[in-house]
Amino acid sequence: MVFISVTRLRLRSARFLFPFLWAVLFIRRQLMRASGNLGFQLRNESQMTFWTLSAWVDEAAMKAFMLSGPHRKSMPKLMEWCDEASVGHWLQETGDLPEWKEAHRRMVEEGRMSKVRHPSAAQMAKQIAGPRD
């Protein structure tokens, strides 16, 4: 079984866009080198909303990535930068990344809201907007 992870982040202000993208540059490099990573996609849905989708050999490999290097350094900042954040995880048979609509469906059904300091109305209502076509 393969461990799949999906995240959705919406920045609450354009002033956080440059520091966020700077962090993403280093996190992407970390992700490309991460042990146990089977594939990933990053999606910029708008200037303020971003999705990640990744496949891992197991949950331990994903957590090792998440809790190290640039990713670990950026996580506390996201609580201030974002007004919406959510994450979902599940197991599937293959390492093929699911379509974005399927990732959204699984996030809504099985995921959770992440902590943010300035939640939007959608975040407080636990509404996760789907990816645009």
Side-chain angles (χ1 to χ4, degrees), residues 20-94:
F20 174 80
L21 293 175
W22 185 252
V24 167
L25 177 72
F26 291 98
I27 293 169
R28 186 173 185 272
R29 185 171 16 177
Q30 177 192 2
L31 189 55
M32 290 170 50
R33 298 174 181 167
S35 177
N37 180 264
L38 301 173
F40 67 92
Q41 291 181 9
L42 305 173
R43 181 176 178 152
N44 176 1
E45 187 163 284
S46 73
Q47 290 185 340
M48 304 299 280
T49 304
F50 302 86
W51 291 78
T52 69
L53 185 58
S54 56
W56 301 87
V57 294
D58 56 25
E59 184 176 7
M62 186 277 298
K63 284 187 176 181
F65 160 78
M66 182 182 77
L67 298 174
S68 66
H71 191 278
R72 180 182 180 137
K73 186 177 176 183
S74 70
M75 285 192 325
K77 296 173 185 175
L78 295 177
M79 290 189 345
E80 183 66 27
W81 293 349
C82 296
D83 62 359
E84 294 178 16
S86 53
V87 61
H89 301 124
W90 65 90
L91 294 173
Q92 67 180 32
E93 293 289 327
T94 71

